Amino acid sequence: MTEALYKQYHSLLYSIAYRMLGTLNDAEDIIQDVYLEIQQQDLVRIGNMKAYLCKAVTNRCINFLQSARSRREIYTGEWLPEPVTVQPGLDPAERIVEEETVSYALLVMMERLNPVERAVFILREALQYSYREIGDTLQKSEENCRKIYSRVKGKLLRKEAEPLQKSDREEQFVKLFLDAAKTGDFADFIAQMTADAVLVTDGGGKVRCALRPIYGSHRIRALFEGIWPRGYFSGSLLPARINGEQGLVLVRDERPVLAVSLTWDWEQGRVDRMFIVSNPDKLHGIRL
C-alpha cells in the first residue's frame, strides 16, 4: 500500500519539498521520512491521503527551514538553491520542476521569506491550492493565509514579457554569453544588462568564487574579464533549460562544473540578475 502511495503522490510532494527547501537531497529525505512515518499508522483512519501527505511534508519543511537558518548563516559565501535541468523523455516525477511556475530567480527571492510565508506562496502560486486548503495544511485561518499571500506576492512577483519576446531575448543573451566566454570580450554581453545588475555566485567554499554579490554591470564585466584568462570558462559551455528557463551549463570531463541562471527587467528589456552555482554538491540536478 505504501509503495503505491509513493508512486501516486511522489511528484506532488517532491514539487512542494524542493520549492520549500531549494535542495534536492533534503527534499527527498523529507518525503522518505513521511512515508516511513505513515507505515506505522492505520491508513484506513486517514480520510484524505493527499491532504494528509501534503500537510506532513509542508510542516516538516517548515521545521527543517527553521533549523537550517543557523547553518546557512555560517555557509561560506552566498547560499543559492540547487539548479535543476530537465531533459525530454524523463519520468513525469522528474519533470515536475520544469513544468510548474516557480523559476530559479523566484526560488532565490523566496529565501527572503520566513518558512510559513514560503509555504503559503508555494501552495497558492505553484500548486493552485485554495486558501481553505492552505489554511488546513498550515493550521491557520483562510483569511490569514489570504493576507500572507497578498503581502508576499507584492514582494516577489514582477511583470513578465510575452512568451515569444521572452524566448527571443533569452536566446540572444545566451548567444552573447557563449561568444564572450570563447573570446574574453564581454562588452556586447554586458551591454544587455541593466546598469545596476547583480551577480550572485555560490561555490560553497569548495570552488573559488566571489563571496559577496557583485553590484553593477561595470563591476560584473571587470570580474568576468579578470577570471577569463585563468580559464574560468574553459570547457564546453552549453545552453540549458534551468528550472524551466533559459540558462547555461559549463561541462568539463563530461561533468557539470557550473550552472548559470538569469532574470530580466522586462521594462528595460535587459538582464538584471545572474546566478552562478559552482558548488559541486549543488549540481546533482544538472542532467547533460
Side-chain angles (χ1 to χ4, degrees), residues 6-235:
Y6 182 86
K7 291 180 179 179
Q8 182 176 0
Y9 293 113
H10 179 266
S11 62
L12 171 63
L13 301 178
Y14 179 77
S15 70
I16 294 173
Y18 169 67
R19 286 165 175 77
M20 283 290 294
L21 305 179
T23 52
L24 300 172
N25 289 338
D26 292 331
E28 191 61 47
D29 287 345
I30 290 285
I31 296 171
Q32 294 294 334
D33 286 347
V34 168
Y35 277 105
L36 287 173
E37 180 182 277
I38 65 173
Q39 287 179 9
Q40 313 302 319
Q41 300 186 29
D42 182 1
L43 301 185
V44 177
R45 299 179 61 183
I46 300 176
N48 186 329
M49 182 58 68
K50 175 183 175 183
Y52 177 88
L53 291 172
C54 290
K55 181 177 182 178
V57 166
T58 300
N59 285 301
R60 280 179 178 268
C61 287
I62 289 174
N63 292 337
F64 181 93
L65 286 173
Q66 289 171 340
S67 65
R69 283 191 179 277
S70 59
R71 294 197 299 273
R72 291 185 182 179
E73 287 174 358
I74 60 173
Y75 187 83
T76 302
E78 296 294 311
W79 191 97
L80 290 174
E82 293 184 28
V84 176
T85 58
V86 182
Q87 303 297 330
L90 293 181
D91 182 87
E94 295 179 293
R95 294 189 60 81
I96 197 75
V97 173
E98 182 177 41
E99 292 172 349
E100 292 181 354
T101 58
V102 177
S103 68
Y104 186 81
L106 196 50
L107 279 177
V108 175
M109 294 175 70
M110 286 195 295
E111 289 299 311
R112 297 181 294 177
L113 306 178
N114 67 48
V116 172
E117 289 176 331
R118 188 162 181 153
V120 170
F121 182 80
I122 291 168
L123 293 174
R124 180 65 178 173
E125 187 69 23
L127 302 178
Q128 289 80 53
Y129 270 41
S130 69
Y131 291 111
R132 177 176 295 180
E133 290 173 314
I134 298 172
D136 291 342
T137 299
L138 302 179
Q139 295 182 311
K140 293 184 176 296
S141 71
E142 184 176 340
E143 183 60 26
N144 192 5
C145 292
R146 189 186 302 273
K147 289 179 179 179
I148 292 173
Y149 174 74
S150 178
R151 181 174 67 247
V152 170
K153 185 176 180 180
K155 293 179 182 178
L156 298 185
L157 295 187
R158 309 192 310 171
K159 183 179 179 182
E160 288 284 355
E162 293 296 324
L164 181 59
Q165 176 194 2
K166 181 177 181 179
S167 176
D168 289 346
R169 295 292 286 161
E170 285 180 333
E171 290 179 6
Q172 177 188 13
F173 186 79
V174 166
K175 183 180 184 303
L176 288 173
F177 192 90
L178 289 170
D179 291 343
K182 291 177 182 177
T183 64
D185 182 357
F186 288 86
D188 291 342
F189 161 74
I190 294 297
Q192 297 301 313
M193 303 187 79
T194 61
D196 59 352
V198 181
L199 168 67
V200 183
T201 62
D202 179 351
K206 300 184 177 184
V207 176
R208 189 173 182 179
C209 66
L211 297 180
R212 296 289 180 267
I214 307 299
Y215 296 96
S217 59
H218 64 291
R219 290 189 176 92
I220 295 173
R221 177 179 179 178
L223 174 68
F224 285 154
E225 291 181 346
I227 62 178
W228 184 85
R230 295 180 237 160
Y232 186 81
F233 296 113
S234 63

